[in-house]
Amino acid sequence: MLLKNDLLYYPAQARTVRILWIDSAASVAYTFDVGVKGAHPELAPLHCLHADLGARRAQLMLVDPYAARGDPSLLPARHRQVRDRAWAVVQGLIADEPAIYQARHRGRMVMAQSALHGVSHPSIYRYLRRYWERGQHPDTLLPDYKNSGAPGKTRGSSAGVKRGRPRKAGTHPGLNADDGIRRTFHAAVARYSATHAQFSRRGAYRQMIEDFFDPREADRLPTFGQFNYWIEKDAPGASASA
C-alpha cells in the first residue's frame, strides 16, 4: 500500500519521487521528482508504482532525508515570519487538489495568488517546489532549510532505506532484528495506523510484509513474534488488538 508523501527510490536512474496525492479510488497519483531543478508534478497510474516496487525497480524509503526536523519555535522569529508569508501563498494553492498538480490550471492559480499577495511568479513556484520536495508541511517553507539534502546524491542504499533488505543475513526464523528491521517495524505500525481506524498487529504485520519485503524469500522475513516483541518493547505504553 502506498500513501501520500511516500518516497520511492529508483536505483537505475538514481531518481527519487515523492507521492503528492492519491485519488479516492486509489487508481492514480501525482508524483514529484525530488532534487530535480524545474520539476513539476506528474500523473502516474498507481498500479505502475506498485509494479515498480514488486519488480524491485523501485524501493520504498523508510527514512525521509528531506523532511523538516527540529523545533521551529527555537528558530528566530524572522524565520517563522518568512515561513508564514510563504505558507499564506501556498495554502491558497494546495487547497484546490488535484487542479494545482495540473499545468493547465496551475498557471492561472499562480497568477491569481501573485496578484493577491504581491509575490512574483518565480517566488511562488519556488515555494511550491520546496513544499512538494520536502514533505508538504508548512515548516518546509522555513528559510535556509538544512535537512533537504543535496540534489543528485544516491540515498536509497543507506542503512534502513532499502526495501526489505536486512543489514545482517539470517535464516528463518532466526532473522536478526537489527536497527534497520526495527525501523521497518515502526514504519509499518505508523502506516497501518494511518489507514485503519482500529489497529491490528497481525494486520500491520501482513501489510509490512507486502510493503517492505518479498514474501517469496522466506529466509529473509521477520516473524510475527519478532514484530510483536519489538513493537511492545519499543513502545511499552501502546495497546492494540491482535
Side-chain angles (χ1 to χ4, degrees), residues 135-198:
Q136 303 188 95
H137 187 275
D139 287 342
T140 63
L141 300 169
L142 286 164
D144 300 322
Y145 188 75
K146 301 299 184 183
N147 297 309
S148 62
K153 290 189 177 180
T154 299
R155 307 182 189 281
S157 60
S158 58
V161 172
K162 274 194 172 181
R163 182 174 181 262
R165 288 292 185 182
R167 291 167 58 192
K168 297 180 181 179
T171 56
H172 190 71
L175 182 71
N176 289 306
D178 61 10
D179 289 345
I181 292 295
R182 289 168 67 180
R183 281 196 293 270
T184 304
F185 293 166
H186 298 166
V189 169
R191 290 169 64 80
Y192 190 89
S193 298
T195 55
H196 294 78
Q198 183 174 2

